[in-house]
Amino acid sequence: EPEVTQTPSHQVTQMGQEVILRCVPISNHLYFYWYRQILGQKVEFLVSFYNNEISEKSEIFDDQFSVERPDGSNFTLKIRSTKLEDSAMYFCASKGGMANTGELFFGEGSRLTVL
Amino acid sequence: LAKTTQPISMDSYEGQEVNITCSHNNIATNDYITWYQQFPSQGPRFIIQGYKTKVTNEVASLFIPADRKSSTLSLPRVSLSDTAVYYCLVGPLSGGYNKLIFGAGTRLAVHP
């Protein structure tokens, strides 16, 4: 069964460092998303991406965040200068192929710990 | 996007049927109801989706009354592995890039 894959599974970084989280969405999907979940809290929408541009972003997704689909297969989330409060699980998701039911397929997540 | 309300937590025992009800009073005509399941440290996973009446798959059933202002996810004969958070979401079926907004969900604990 096709799946969304994310790397790394866990990253520890120092405050102020840049972090790139990588995702490989399901190959024929068209819509891509990043969500995050702070420990013990709900899943929060960050950004959606379609046709090589951001289609929507939340207030969390400020200038420190950026997304890119550099090569037609990877979908990356970059945090330019990490803060302690960026510590969370980051989930990539994709949807929308030939049989678009609206179902979002999530990856297993990348746990980011900012020290 | 329609707001949803569900119980914060529920407890059950192995082998019992569990019903989780979600309220969505301002659901729109073109909105569907979708349920996701999330295990600790994993991404949410699609369980079931419906528009009206009843939908059943190999995992669960979804009951939607005629007014569509609520829905009930039914898990038959739960096991310990069904312990998870269950999210009710309401929105257009495909809706292009439309995002899914997760609420707090219902934390289901299944006991031996």
Side-chain angles (χ1 to χ4, degrees):
Chain A
E1 183 178 312
E3 58 181 16
V4 176
T5 56
Q6 292 186 239
T7 54
S9 56
H10 188 191
Q11 180 154 358
V12 181
T13 190
Q14 295 291 324
M15 192 169 56
Q17 294 296 304
E18 176 183 282
V19 160
I20 297 176
L21 305 178
R22 292 183 166 79
C23 168
V24 179
I26 293 172
S27 63
N28 64 343
H29 281 184
L30 302 173
Y31 305 97
F32 313 109
Y33 305 80
W34 283 100
Y35 285 78
R36 81 170 186 191
Q37 187 173 33
I38 295 170
L39 186 64
Q41 298 187 23
K42 65 181 183 181
V43 178
E44 299 175 289
F45 168 77
L46 290 179
V47 66
S48 57
F49 192 88
Y50 169 70
N51 200 26
N52 283 320
E53 61 183 21
I54 290 174
S55 42
E56 191 170 358
K57 58 185 181 180
S58 71
E59 61 274 10
I60 302 170
F61 195 89
D62 61 22
D63 291 344
Q64 292 300 311
F65 291 87
S66 63
V67 289
E68 200 175 39
R69 189 157 158 79
D71 56 13
S73 62
N74 291 286
F75 180 49
T76 62
L77 174 70
K78 182 194 289 187
I79 309 174
R80 252 178 283 282
S81 177
T82 50
K83 303 188 279 285
L84 294 176
E85 53 266 37
D86 293 327
S87 293
M89 196 78 156
Y90 288 81
F91 294 108
C92 172
S94 69
K95 75 169 186 180
M98 292 295 289
N100 181 12
T101 62
E103 176 184 346
L104 264 187
F105 292 81
F106 284 83
E108 290 294 291
S110 292
R111 181 174 299 284
L112 175 65
T113 302
V114 182
L115 302 176
Chain B
L1 294 169
K3 185 179 180 324
T4 60
T5 303
Q6 18 176 160
I8 293 173
S9 63
M10 293 182 70
D11 287 274
S12 184
Y13 292 91
E14 284 190 288
Q16 289 190 333
E17 178 184 79
V18 170
N19 296 308
I20 307 174
T21 297
C22 178
S23 297
H24 27 80
N25 289 319
N26 59 341
I27 188 169
T29 304
N30 61 341
D31 283 343
Y32 281 69
I33 299 147
T34 312
W35 286 79
Y36 281 75
Q37 174 192 55
Q38 186 182 28
F39 297 115
S41 298
Q42 292 188 25
R45 189 173 67 100
F46 174 92
I47 302 175
I48 197 166
Q49 182 179 73
Y51 184 80
K52 61 181 180 181
T53 62
K54 177 184 173 184
V55 179
T56 297
N57 62 22
E58 64 278 5
V59 176
S61 294
L62 179 59
F63 298 91
I64 306 167
D67 67 6
R68 304 199 328 121
K69 292 184 185 301
S70 66
S71 58
T72 299
L73 174 73
S74 181
L75 304 172
R77 296 182 299 282
V78 293
S79 63
L80 296 177
S81 62
D82 292 315
T83 294
V85 180
Y86 292 82
Y87 299 97
C88 163
L89 298 99
V90 172
L93 179 61
S94 59
Y97 58 77
N98 282 8
K99 60 186 183 288
L100 287 180
I101 296 296
F102 288 81
T106 297
R107 192 171 297 274
L108 172 66
V110 180
H111 305 281

